[in-house]
Coordinates of all heavy atoms in Angstrom, one line a residue:
K20 N -1.4 -4.0 12.3 CA 0.0 -4.3 12.3 C 0.7 -3.9 11.0 O 1.9 -3.7 11.0 CB 0.2 -5.8 12.5 CG -0.2 -6.3 13.9 CD 0.0 -7.8 14.1 CE -0.4 -8.2 15.5 NZ -0.2 -9.5 15.8
V21 N -0.1 -3.9 9.9 CA 0.5 -3.5 8.6 C 1.1 -2.1 8.6 O 2.0 -1.7 7.9 CB -0.5 -3.7 7.5 CG1 -1.6 -2.6 7.5 CG2 0.2 -3.7 6.1
M22 N 0.5 -1.2 9.5 CA 1.0 0.2 9.6 C 2.4 0.3 10.0 O 3.0 1.3 9.8 CB 0.1 1.0 10.5 CG -1.4 1.1 10.0 SD -1.5 1.6 8.3 CE -0.8 3.2 8.3
A23 N 3.0 -0.7 10.6 CA 4.4 -0.7 10.9 C 5.3 -0.6 9.7 O 6.5 -0.1 9.8 CB 4.8 -2.0 11.7
F24 N 4.8 -0.9 8.5 CA 5.5 -0.8 7.3 C 5.4 0.5 6.6 O 6.0 0.8 5.5 CB 5.1 -1.9 6.3 CG 5.4 -3.3 6.9 CD1 4.3 -4.1 7.4 CD2 6.7 -3.8 6.9 CE1 4.6 -5.3 7.9 CE2 6.9 -5.1 7.5 CZ 5.9 -5.8 8.0
Y25 N 4.6 1.4 7.2 CA 4.3 2.7 6.6 C 5.2 3.8 7.3 O 5.3 3.8 8.5 CB 2.9 3.1 6.8 CG 2.0 2.5 5.7 CD1 1.6 1.2 5.9 CD2 1.5 3.2 4.6 CE1 0.7 0.6 4.9 CE2 0.7 2.6 3.7 CZ 0.3 1.3 3.9 OH -0.5 0.7 2.9
S26 N 5.8 4.6 6.5 CA 6.6 5.7 7.0 C 5.8 6.8 7.6 O 4.7 7.0 7.2 CB 7.4 6.3 5.8 OG 8.1 7.5 6.2
E27 N 6.4 7.5 8.6 CA 5.7 8.7 9.1 C 5.7 9.8 8.0 O 4.9 10.7 8.1 CB 6.5 9.2 10.3 CG 6.4 8.3 11.5 CD 5.0 8.0 12.0 OE1 4.2 9.0 12.0 OE2 4.7 6.9 12.4
N28 N 6.4 9.6 6.9 CA 6.5 10.5 5.8 C 5.5 10.1 4.7 O 5.5 10.7 3.6 CB 7.9 10.7 5.3 CG 8.8 11.2 6.3 OD1 8.6 12.2 7.0 ND2 10.0 10.5 6.4
F29 N 4.7 9.1 4.9 CA 3.7 8.6 3.9 C 2.8 9.8 3.5 O 2.3 10.5 4.3 CB 2.9 7.5 4.5 CG 1.8 7.0 3.6 CD1 2.1 6.1 2.6 CD2 0.5 7.4 3.7 CE1 1.2 5.6 1.7 CE2 -0.5 7.0 2.8 CZ -0.1 6.1 1.8
K30 N 2.6 9.8 2.2 CA 1.7 10.8 1.6 C 0.8 10.1 0.5 O 1.3 9.3 -0.2 CB 2.4 12.0 0.9 CG 3.3 12.8 1.9 CD 2.4 13.6 2.8 CE 3.3 14.4 3.7 NZ 2.8 14.5 5.1
H31 N -0.5 10.5 0.5 CA -1.4 10.0 -0.5 C -2.3 11.0 -1.0 O -2.8 11.8 -0.1 CB -2.1 8.8 0.1 CG -2.9 8.0 -0.9 ND1 -4.2 8.4 -1.2 CD2 -2.6 6.9 -1.7 CE1 -4.7 7.5 -2.1 NE2 -3.7 6.6 -2.4
F32 N -2.6 11.1 -2.2 CA -3.5 12.2 -2.8 C -4.9 12.1 -2.2 O -5.6 13.2 -2.1 CB -3.6 12.1 -4.3 CG -4.4 10.9 -4.8 CD1 -5.7 11.0 -5.1 CD2 -3.8 9.7 -5.0 CE1 -6.4 9.9 -5.6 CE2 -4.5 8.6 -5.4 CZ -5.8 8.7 -5.7
E33 N -5.4 11.0 -1.7 CA -6.8 10.9 -1.2 C -6.8 10.8 0.3 O -7.6 11.4 1.0 CB -7.5 9.7 -1.8 CG -8.9 9.6 -1.5 CD -9.7 8.5 -2.2 OE1 -9.1 7.8 -3.1 OE2 -10.8 8.2 -1.9
Y34 N -5.9 10.0 0.9 CA -5.9 9.7 2.3 C -5.0 10.7 3.1 O -5.1 10.6 4.4 CB -5.6 8.3 2.6 CG -6.3 7.3 1.8 CD1 -5.7 6.4 0.9 CD2 -7.7 7.3 1.8 CE1 -6.5 5.6 0.1 CE2 -8.5 6.5 1.0 CZ -7.8 5.6 0.1 OH -8.5 4.8 -0.7
G35 N -4.2 11.4 2.5 CA -3.4 12.4 3.1 C -2.1 11.8 3.7 O -1.1 11.6 2.9
D36 N -2.1 11.4 4.9 CA -0.9 11.0 5.6 C -1.1 9.6 6.2 O -2.1 8.9 5.9 CB -0.5 12.0 6.7 CG -1.6 12.2 7.7 OD1 -2.6 11.5 7.7 OD2 -1.4 13.1 8.5
K37 N -0.1 9.1 7.0 CA -0.2 7.8 7.6 C -1.4 7.6 8.4 O -2.1 6.6 8.4 CB 1.1 7.6 8.5 CG 1.1 6.2 9.1 CD 2.4 6.0 9.8 CE 2.5 4.6 10.5 NZ 3.8 4.4 11.2
K38 N -1.8 8.6 9.2 CA -3.1 8.5 10.0 C -4.3 8.3 9.1 O -5.2 7.5 9.4 CB -3.3 9.8 10.9 CG -4.5 9.7 11.7 CD -4.8 11.0 12.4 CE -6.1 10.9 13.2 NZ -7.3 10.4 12.6
G39 N -4.3 9.1 8.0 CA -5.4 8.9 7.0 C -5.5 7.6 6.4 O -6.6 7.0 6.2
M40 N -4.3 7.0 6.1 CA -4.3 5.6 5.6 C -4.7 4.6 6.6 O -5.5 3.7 6.3 CB -2.9 5.3 5.0 CG -2.8 3.8 4.5 SD -4.0 3.4 3.2 CE -3.1 4.1 1.8
R41 N -4.3 4.8 7.9 CA -4.7 3.9 9.0 C -6.3 4.0 9.1 O -6.9 3.0 9.2 CB -4.1 4.3 10.3 CG -4.5 3.5 11.5 CD -3.9 3.9 12.8 NE -2.5 3.6 12.8 CZ -1.5 4.6 12.9 NH1 -1.8 5.8 12.9 NH2 -0.3 4.2 12.9
D42 N -6.8 5.2 9.1 CA -8.3 5.3 9.2 C -9.0 4.6 8.0 O -10.0 3.9 8.3 CB -8.7 6.8 9.2 CG -8.2 7.5 10.5 OD1 -7.9 6.9 11.5 OD2 -8.2 8.8 10.5
F43 N -8.5 4.8 6.8 CA -9.1 4.1 5.7 C -9.0 2.6 5.8 O -10.1 1.9 5.6 CB -8.4 4.5 4.4 CG -8.7 3.6 3.2 CD1 -9.9 3.8 2.6 CD2 -7.8 2.7 2.8 CE1 -10.2 2.9 1.5 CE2 -8.1 1.8 1.7 CZ -9.3 2.0 1.1
L44 N -7.9 2.1 6.2 CA -7.8 0.6 6.4 C -8.7 0.1 7.5 O -9.3 -1.0 7.4 CB -6.3 0.2 6.6 CG -5.4 0.4 5.4 CD1 -4.0 0.1 5.7 CD2 -5.8 -0.5 4.2
N45 N -8.8 0.8 8.6 CA -9.7 0.4 9.7 C -11.1 0.4 9.2 O -11.9 -0.5 9.5 CB -9.5 1.3 10.9 CG -8.3 1.0 11.7 OD1 -7.8 -0.1 11.7 ND2 -7.7 2.0 12.4
Q46 N -11.5 1.4 8.4 CA -12.9 1.4 7.9 C -13.1 0.3 7.0 O -14.2 -0.4 7.0 CB -13.2 2.8 7.2 CG -13.3 3.9 8.2 CD -13.4 5.2 7.4 OE1 -13.4 5.3 6.2 NE2 -13.6 6.3 8.2
A47 N -12.2 0.0 6.1 CA -12.3 -1.1 5.2 C -12.4 -2.5 5.9 O -13.2 -3.3 5.6 CB -11.1 -1.2 4.2
K48 N -11.6 -2.6 7.0 CA -11.7 -3.8 7.8 C -13.0 -3.9 8.5 O -13.6 -5.0 8.4 CB -10.5 -3.8 8.8 CG -10.5 -5.0 9.8 CD -9.4 -4.8 10.8 CE -9.5 -6.0 11.8 NZ -8.5 -5.8 12.8
E49 N -13.5 -2.9 9.1 CA -14.8 -2.9 9.8 C -15.9 -3.2 8.8 O -17.0 -3.7 9.2 CB -15.0 -1.6 10.5 CG -14.1 -1.4 11.7 CD -14.1 0.0 12.3 OE1 -14.9 0.8 11.9 OE2 -13.3 0.2 13.2
S50 N -15.8 -2.7 7.6 CA -16.8 -3.0 6.6 C -16.7 -4.3 5.9 O -17.4 -4.6 4.9 CB -16.8 -1.8 5.5 OG -17.0 -0.6 6.1
H51 N -15.7 -5.1 6.3 CA -15.5 -6.4 5.8 C -14.9 -6.4 4.3 O -15.0 -7.5 3.6 CB -16.7 -7.3 5.9 CG -17.1 -7.5 7.3 ND1 -16.5 -8.3 8.2 CD2 -18.1 -6.8 8.0 CE1 -17.1 -8.2 9.4 NE2 -18.1 -7.3 9.3
Y52 N -14.5 -5.3 3.8 CA -13.9 -5.2 2.5 C -12.6 -6.0 2.4 O -12.2 -6.4 1.3 CB -13.7 -3.8 2.0 CG -14.9 -3.0 1.7 CD1 -15.2 -1.8 2.3 CD2 -15.9 -3.5 0.9 CE1 -16.3 -1.1 2.0 CE2 -17.0 -2.9 0.6 CZ -17.3 -1.6 1.2 OH -18.4 -1.0 0.9
L53 N -11.9 -6.3 3.5 CA -10.7 -7.0 3.4 C -10.8 -8.5 3.7 O -9.9 -9.2 3.5 CB -9.7 -6.4 4.4 CG -9.4 -4.9 4.3 CD1 -8.4 -4.4 5.4 CD2 -8.9 -4.6 2.9
D54 N -12.1 -8.9 4.0 CA -12.3 -10.4 4.2 C -12.1 -11.1 2.9 O -12.6 -10.8 1.9 CB -13.7 -10.6 4.7 CG -14.0 -10.0 6.1 OD1 -13.0 -9.5 6.7 OD2 -15.2 -10.1 6.5
G55 N -11.3 -12.2 3.0 CA -11.1 -13.0 1.8 C -10.3 -12.4 0.7 O -10.3 -12.9 -0.4
I56 N -9.6 -11.3 1.0 CA -8.8 -10.6 -0.1 C -7.8 -11.5 -0.6 O -7.2 -12.3 0.1 CB -8.2 -9.3 0.5 CG1 -7.8 -8.4 -0.7 CG2 -7.1 -9.6 1.5 CD1 -7.4 -7.0 -0.2
E57 N -7.6 -11.5 -1.9 CA -6.6 -12.2 -2.6 C -5.5 -11.3 -3.1 O -5.8 -10.2 -3.7 CB -7.1 -13.0 -3.8 CG -8.2 -14.0 -3.5 CD -8.8 -14.6 -4.8 OE1 -8.1 -14.5 -5.9 OE2 -9.9 -15.1 -4.7
V58 N -4.2 -11.6 -2.9 CA -3.1 -10.8 -3.3 C -2.3 -11.6 -4.3 O -1.9 -12.8 -4.1 CB -2.2 -10.4 -2.1 CG1 -1.0 -9.6 -2.6 CG2 -3.0 -9.7 -1.1
H59 N -2.2 -11.1 -5.5 CA -1.5 -11.8 -6.6 C -0.2 -10.9 -7.0 O -0.4 -9.8 -7.4 CB -2.4 -11.9 -7.8 CG -3.5 -12.8 -7.6 ND1 -3.5 -14.2 -7.6 CD2 -4.8 -12.5 -7.2 CE1 -4.7 -14.6 -7.3 NE2 -5.5 -13.6 -7.0
A60 N 0.9 -11.5 -6.7 CA 2.2 -10.7 -6.9 C 3.1 -11.4 -7.9 O 4.3 -11.1 -7.9 CB 2.8 -10.5 -5.6
E61 N 2.6 -12.3 -8.7 CA 3.4 -13.1 -9.6 C 4.1 -12.2 -10.7 O 5.2 -12.6 -11.1 CB 2.6 -14.1 -10.4 CG 1.9 -15.2 -9.4 CD 0.6 -14.7 -8.9 OE1 0.0 -13.6 -9.3 OE2 0.1 -15.4 -8.0
K62 N 3.5 -11.1 -11.0 CA 4.1 -10.3 -12.1 C 4.9 -9.1 -11.5 O 5.3 -8.2 -12.3 CB 3.0 -9.8 -13.0 CG 2.3 -10.9 -13.7 CD 1.1 -10.3 -14.5 CE 0.3 -11.5 -15.2 NZ -0.8 -11.0 -15.9
V63 N 5.0 -9.0 -10.2 CA 5.7 -7.8 -9.6 C 7.1 -7.6 -10.1 O 7.9 -8.5 -10.3 CB 5.7 -8.0 -8.0 CG1 6.7 -7.1 -7.4 CG2 4.3 -7.8 -7.4
E64 N 7.4 -6.3 -10.3 CA 8.7 -5.9 -10.7 C 9.1 -4.9 -9.6 O 8.4 -4.0 -9.2 CB 8.7 -5.3 -12.1 CG 8.5 -6.3 -13.2 CD 8.6 -5.7 -14.5 OE1 9.2 -4.6 -14.7 OE2 8.1 -6.3 -15.5
Y65 N 10.4 -5.0 -9.2 CA 11.0 -4.0 -8.3 C 11.9 -3.1 -9.0 O 12.8 -3.6 -9.8 CB 11.8 -4.8 -7.2 CG 11.0 -5.9 -6.5 CD1 10.8 -7.2 -7.0 CD2 10.3 -5.6 -5.3 CE1 10.1 -8.1 -6.4 CE2 9.6 -6.5 -4.6 CZ 9.5 -7.8 -5.2 OH 8.8 -8.8 -4.5
K66 N 11.9 -1.9 -8.7 CA 12.8 -0.9 -9.3 C 13.4 -0.1 -8.1 O 12.7 0.5 -7.3 CB 12.1 0.1 -10.2 CG 11.6 -0.6 -11.5 CD 11.0 0.3 -12.4 CE 10.5 -0.5 -13.6 NZ 9.7 0.4 -14.6
V67 N 14.7 -0.2 -8.0 CA 15.4 0.5 -6.9 C 16.4 1.5 -7.5 O 17.2 1.2 -8.4 CB 16.2 -0.6 -6.0 CG1 16.9 0.1 -4.9 CG2 15.2 -1.6 -5.5
D68 N 16.3 2.7 -6.9 CA 17.3 3.8 -7.4 C 17.7 4.5 -6.2 O 16.9 5.3 -5.6 CB 16.6 4.7 -8.4 CG 17.5 5.7 -8.9 OD1 18.7 5.5 -8.9 OD2 17.0 6.8 -9.4
K69 N 18.9 4.3 -5.7 CA 19.4 4.9 -4.5 C 18.5 4.7 -3.3 O 18.3 3.5 -3.0 CB 19.7 6.4 -4.8 CG 20.7 6.7 -5.9 CD 20.9 8.1 -6.1 CE 21.9 8.2 -7.3 NZ 22.1 9.6 -7.7
G70 N 17.9 5.7 -2.7 CA 17.1 5.4 -1.5 C 15.7 5.3 -1.8 O 14.9 5.5 -0.9
A71 N 15.3 5.0 -3.0 CA 13.8 4.9 -3.4 C 13.6 3.6 -4.2 O 14.5 3.1 -4.9 CB 13.4 6.1 -4.2
A72 N 12.4 3.1 -4.0 CA 12.0 1.9 -4.7 C 10.5 1.9 -5.0 O 9.7 2.5 -4.3 CB 12.4 0.6 -3.9
T73 N 10.2 1.2 -6.1 CA 8.7 1.0 -6.4 C 8.5 -0.5 -6.6 O 9.4 -1.2 -7.1 CB 8.3 1.7 -7.7 OG1 9.1 1.3 -8.8 CG2 8.4 3.2 -7.6
V74 N 7.3 -0.9 -6.3 CA 6.9 -2.3 -6.4 C 5.6 -2.3 -7.2 O 4.6 -1.7 -6.7 CB 6.7 -3.0 -5.1 CG1 6.3 -4.5 -5.3 CG2 8.0 -3.0 -4.3
Y75 N 5.5 -2.9 -8.4 CA 4.4 -2.9 -9.3 C 4.4 -4.0 -10.3 O 5.5 -4.4 -10.7 CB 4.4 -1.5 -10.0 CG 3.2 -1.4 -11.0 CD1 2.0 -1.0 -10.5 CD2 3.4 -1.7 -12.3 CE1 0.9 -0.8 -11.4 CE2 2.3 -1.5 -13.2 CZ 1.1 -1.1 -12.7 OH 0.1 -1.0 -13.6
P76 N 3.3 -4.6 -10.6 CA 2.0 -4.5 -10.2 C 1.6 -5.5 -9.1 O 2.1 -6.6 -9.1 CB 1.1 -4.8 -11.4 CG 2.0 -5.8 -12.1 CD 3.4 -5.4 -11.8
I77 N 0.9 -5.1 -8.1 CA 0.3 -5.9 -7.1 C -1.2 -6.0 -7.3 O -1.8 -4.9 -7.2 CB 0.6 -5.4 -5.6 CG1 2.2 -5.2 -5.5 CG2 0.1 -6.3 -4.6 CD1 2.5 -4.4 -4.2
D78 N -1.7 -7.1 -7.7 CA -3.1 -7.2 -8.0 C -3.9 -7.7 -6.8 O -3.5 -8.7 -6.2 CB -3.3 -8.2 -9.2 CG -2.7 -7.6 -10.5 OD1 -2.9 -6.4 -10.7 OD2 -2.1 -8.4 -11.2
L79 N -4.9 -7.0 -6.4 CA -5.8 -7.4 -5.3 C -7.2 -7.6 -5.8 O -7.7 -6.9 -6.6 CB -5.8 -6.2 -4.3 CG -4.5 -5.7 -3.7 CD1 -4.7 -4.5 -2.8 CD2 -3.7 -6.8 -3.0
K80 N -7.8 -8.7 -5.2 CA -9.2 -9.0 -5.6 C -9.9 -9.3 -4.3 O -9.4 -9.9 -3.4 CB -9.3 -10.3 -6.5 CG -8.7 -10.0 -7.8 CD -8.9 -11.2 -8.7 CE -8.2 -11.0 -10.1 NZ -8.3 -12.1 -11.0
G81 N -11.1 -8.7 -4.2 CA -12.0 -8.9 -3.0 C -13.4 -8.5 -3.2 O -13.8 -8.2 -4.4
S82 N -14.1 -8.3 -2.2 CA -15.5 -8.0 -2.3 C -15.7 -6.6 -2.9 O -16.7 -6.2 -3.5 CB -16.2 -8.0 -0.9 OG -15.6 -7.1 -0.1
F83 N -14.7 -5.8 -2.9 CA -14.7 -4.4 -3.4 C -14.4 -4.4 -4.9 O -14.6 -3.4 -5.6 CB -13.6 -3.6 -2.8 CG -12.2 -4.2 -2.8 CD1 -11.4 -4.1 -4.0 CD2 -11.7 -4.9 -1.7 CE1 -10.2 -4.7 -4.0 CE2 -10.5 -5.5 -1.8 CZ -9.7 -5.4 -2.9
G84 N -14.0 -5.5 -5.5 CA -13.7 -5.6 -6.9 C -12.2 -6.0 -7.1 O -11.6 -6.7 -6.3
S85 N -11.6 -5.4 -8.1 CA -10.2 -5.7 -8.4 C -9.4 -4.4 -8.5 O -9.9 -3.4 -9.1 CB -10.0 -6.5 -9.7 OG -10.6 -7.7 -9.6
I86 N -8.2 -4.3 -8.0 CA -7.4 -3.2 -8.2 C -5.9 -3.6 -8.4 O -5.6 -4.7 -8.0 CB -7.4 -2.2 -7.0 CG1 -6.9 -2.9 -5.7 CG2 -8.8 -1.6 -6.8 CD1 -6.8 -1.9 -4.5
T87 N -5.2 -2.8 -9.0 CA -3.8 -3.0 -9.2 C -3.1 -1.9 -8.4 O -3.4 -0.7 -8.6 CB -3.4 -2.9 -10.7 OG1 -4.1 -4.0 -11.4 CG2 -1.9 -3.1 -10.9
M88 N -2.1 -2.3 -7.5 CA -1.4 -1.3 -6.7 C 0.0 -1.1 -7.1 O 0.6 -2.1 -7.6 CB -1.4 -1.9 -5.2 CG -2.7 -2.0 -4.5 SD -3.4 -0.5 -3.9 CE -2.0 0.1 -2.9
E89 N 0.5 0.1 -6.8 CA 1.9 0.3 -6.9 C 2.3 0.9 -5.5 O 1.6 1.8 -5.0 CB 2.3 1.4 -7.9 CG 3.7 1.8 -7.9 CD 4.1 2.9 -8.9 OE1 3.4 3.9 -8.9 OE2 5.0 2.7 -9.7
L90 N 3.3 0.3 -4.9 CA 3.8 0.8 -3.6 C 5.1 1.5 -3.9 O 6.0 1.1 -4.6 CB 4.0 -0.3 -2.6 CG 2.7 -1.0 -2.2 CD1 3.0 -2.2 -1.2 CD2 1.7 -0.1 -1.5
K91 N 5.3 2.7 -3.2 CA 6.6 3.4 -3.3 C 7.2 3.4 -1.9 O 6.6 3.6 -0.9 CB 6.2 4.9 -3.6 CG 5.6 5.0 -5.0 CD 5.1 6.4 -5.3 CE 4.3 6.4 -6.6 NZ 3.7 7.7 -6.9
F92 N 8.5 3.1 -1.9 CA 9.3 2.9 -0.7 C 10.4 3.9 -0.6 O 10.9 4.3 -1.6 CB 9.9 1.5 -0.6 CG 8.9 0.4 -0.4 CD1 8.1 -0.1 -1.5 CD2 8.6 -0.2 0.8 CE1 7.2 -1.1 -1.4 CE2 7.7 -1.2 1.0 CZ 7.0 -1.7 -0.1
A93 N 10.9 4.1 0.6 CA 12.1 4.9 0.8 C 12.9 4.2 1.9 O 12.3 3.6 2.8 CB 11.8 6.3 1.3
K94 N 14.2 4.3 1.8 CA 15.1 3.7 2.8 C 15.2 4.7 3.9 O 15.6 5.8 3.7 CB 16.5 3.4 2.2 CG 17.4 2.8 3.1 CD 17.2 1.3 3.2 CE 18.2 0.6 4.1 NZ 18.9 -0.4 3.4
E95 N 14.7 4.3 5.1 CA 14.8 5.2 6.3 C 15.5 4.4 7.4 O 15.0 3.3 7.8 CB 13.3 5.5 6.7 CG 12.6 6.4 5.7 CD 11.2 6.8 6.2 OE1 10.9 6.6 7.4 OE2 10.5 7.4 5.4
K96 N 16.6 4.9 7.8 CA 17.5 4.2 8.7 C 17.9 2.9 8.1 O 18.4 2.8 7.0 CB 16.9 4.1 10.1 CG 16.7 5.5 10.7 CD 16.2 5.4 12.1 CE 16.0 6.8 12.7 NZ 15.4 6.8 14.0
D97 N 17.5 1.8 8.7 CA 17.9 0.5 8.2 C 16.7 -0.3 7.6 O 16.8 -1.5 7.4 CB 18.5 -0.4 9.3 CG 19.8 0.2 9.8 OD1 20.5 0.7 9.0 OD2 20.1 0.0 11.0
A98 N 15.6 0.4 7.3 CA 14.4 -0.3 6.8 C 13.8 0.4 5.6 O 14.0 1.6 5.4 CB 13.3 -0.3 7.9
W99 N 13.2 -0.4 4.7 CA 12.4 0.1 3.6 C 11.0 0.3 4.1 O 10.3 -0.7 4.5 CB 12.5 -0.8 2.4 CG 13.8 -0.8 1.7 CD1 14.8 -1.6 2.0 CD2 14.2 0.1 0.7 NE1 15.9 -1.3 1.2 CE2 15.6 -0.3 0.4 CE3 13.6 1.2 0.1 CZ2 16.3 0.4 -0.6 CZ3 14.4 1.9 -0.9 CH2 15.7 1.5 -1.2
L100 N 10.5 1.6 4.0 CA 9.1 1.8 4.5 C 8.3 2.4 3.3 O 8.8 3.1 2.4 CB 9.1 2.8 5.6 CG 9.8 2.3 6.9 CD1 9.9 3.4 7.9 CD2 9.2 1.0 7.4
I101 N 7.0 2.2 3.4 CA 6.1 2.7 2.3 C 5.9 4.2 2.5 O 5.5 4.6 3.6 CB 4.7 2.0 2.4 CG1 4.9 0.5 2.2 CG2 3.7 2.5 1.4 CD1 3.7 -0.4 2.5
V102 N 6.2 4.9 1.5 CA 6.0 6.4 1.5 C 4.9 6.9 0.6 O 4.5 8.1 0.6 CB 7.3 7.2 1.2 CG1 8.3 6.9 2.3 CG2 7.8 6.8 -0.1
G103 N 4.3 6.0 -0.2 CA 3.3 6.4 -1.1 C 2.7 5.1 -1.8 O 3.2 4.1 -1.8
S104 N 1.5 5.3 -2.4 CA 0.8 4.2 -3.1 C -0.1 4.8 -4.1 O -0.6 5.9 -3.9 CB 0.1 3.3 -2.1 OG -0.9 3.9 -1.5
D105 N -0.4 4.0 -5.2 CA -1.3 4.3 -6.2 C -2.1 3.1 -6.5 O -1.6 2.0 -6.4 CB -0.7 4.8 -7.5 CG 0.0 6.2 -7.3 OD1 -0.7 7.1 -6.8 OD2 1.1 6.4 -7.7
A106 N -3.4 3.3 -6.8 CA -4.2 2.1 -7.2 C -5.1 2.5 -8.4 O -5.5 3.6 -8.6 CB -5.1 1.8 -6.0
S107 N -5.4 1.5 -9.2 CA -6.3 1.7 -10.3 C -7.1 0.5 -10.5 O -6.8 -0.6 -10.1 CB -5.4 2.0 -11.6 OG -4.6 0.8 -11.9
G108 N -8.3 0.7 -11.2 CA -9.1 -0.4 -11.6 C -10.3 -0.8 -10.7 O -10.9 -1.8 -10.9
I109 N -10.6 0.1 -9.7 CA -11.8 -0.3 -8.9 C -13.0 -0.2 -9.8 O -13.2 0.7 -10.5 CB -11.9 0.7 -7.7 CG1 -10.7 0.4 -6.7 CG2 -13.2 0.5 -7.0 CD1 -10.7 1.2 -5.5

């Protein structure tokens, strides 16, 4: 269901496109890496500039360790959709 928030224009240096991200998330789910995941967004800052936005830092903790995420959004029609992401700290 989370893939509904991803743009068809999504690009990632490692996973490629939206299909690649879907495959990665499905593998993570099947491997139980997402079980019990904690999302900490208390320090999140939003930056919006015309039709683009970034959301950072989103801290995630789980069986995989800890990472800090940045999500990149674009306004497409009437919705903000994820067009990119970066993670650090694994």
Side-chain angles (χ1 to χ4, degrees):
K20 293 182 181 184
V21 73
M22 294 311 297
F24 299 103
Y25 282 77
S26 167
E27 293 300 324
N28 299 314
F29 177 81
K30 299 288 181 220
H31 189 271
F32 70 95
E33 187 174 353
Y34 310 122
D36 57 10
K37 183 176 179 177
K38 181 188 178 311
M40 178 56 82
R41 178 183 290 116
D42 292 345
F43 166 75
L44 290 174
N45 282 334
Q46 289 174 357
K48 179 181 174 185
E49 290 170 5
S50 299
H51 301 282
Y52 287 128
L53 303 179
D54 294 354
I56 194 169
E57 297 176 21
V58 178
H59 299 277
E61 298 85 9
K62 298 177 185 177
V63 163
E64 293 184 15
Y65 305 86
K66 294 181 183 175
V67 179
D68 184 25
K69 299 180 184 174
T73 58
V74 178
Y75 178 84
I77 304 166
D78 295 319
L79 305 175
K80 293 183 181 179
S82 62
F83 53 82
S85 299
I86 61 171
T87 300
M88 295 281 306
E89 175 183 53
L90 295 177
K91 299 172 186 177
F92 291 81
K94 183 82 179 236
E95 296 183 6
K96 296 183 183 177
D97 294 329
W99 286 94
L100 297 177
I101 301 168
V102 294
S104 63
D105 289 313
S107 61
I109 292 181

